[in-house]
């Protein structure tokens, strides 16, 4: 006896024998699973970034102007004020010490 691996639905469409779904539905389910895994990995990556970023909260230094850019905004302000980055850096070293 030959066992069929696919069955047909009420309207004659092909269905997966294990889940009684059409092959199209199976591919949609795979895409949904890939999407959910991608969202999960993005959330894990964001939490990892926040965790690694929070480990350095006890290091003395100027407050961050931006979570992602850090003190780049301060550097740009110093350039706009016609102050060299070296002078800006030296003022930070004088105020916060060598490690900031």
């Amino acid at each position: 006896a030959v066992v069929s691996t696919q069955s047909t639905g009420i309207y004659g469409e092909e269905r997966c024998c294990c889940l009684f779904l059409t092959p199209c539905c199976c591919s949609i389910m795979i895409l949904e699973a890939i999407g959910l895994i991608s969202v999960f990995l993005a959330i894990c990556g964001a939490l990892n970034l926040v965790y690694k970023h929070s480990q350095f909260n006890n290091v003395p230094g100027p407050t961050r102007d931006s979570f992602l850019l850090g003190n780049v905004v301060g550097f740009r302000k110093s350039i706009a004020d016609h102050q060299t980055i070296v002078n800006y850096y030296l003022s930070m070293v004088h105020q916060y010490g060598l490690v900031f």
Side-chain angles (χ1 to χ4, degrees):
V2 176
V3 178
S4 175
T5 58
Q6 293 182 346
S7 63
T8 57
I10 298 172
Y11 302 106
E13 71 274 8
E14 292 184 5
R15 294 184 177 266
C16 297
C17 63
C18 57
L19 298 175
F20 300 106
L21 298 171
T22 62
C24 181
C25 289
C26 291
S27 63
I28 291 173
M29 288 175 55
I30 291 171
L31 289 175
E32 287 176 351
I34 291 171
L36 288 174
I37 290 170
S38 299
V39 168
F40 175 75
L41 290 175
I43 290 172
C44 288
L47 290 175
N48 187 27
L49 178 69
V50 169
Y51 171 72
K52 286 187 176 188
H53 205 267
S54 68
Q55 289 179 337
F56 299 104
N57 283 342
N58 60 349
V59 176
T63 58
R64 292 182 299 270
D65 297 322
S66 169
F67 179 77
L68 294 176
L69 297 178
N71 292 329
V72 172
V73 177
F75 286 132
R76 286 187 162 192
K77 286 179 185 176
S78 69
I79 291 171
D81 295 339
H82 303 292
Q83 180 184 9
T84 63
I85 293 179
V86 173
N87 289 338
Y88 177 76
Y89 181 76
L90 289 176
S91 68
M92 293 294 118
V93 168
H94 179 38
Q95 186 173 3
Y96 297 108
L98 291 176
V99 179
F100 69 92

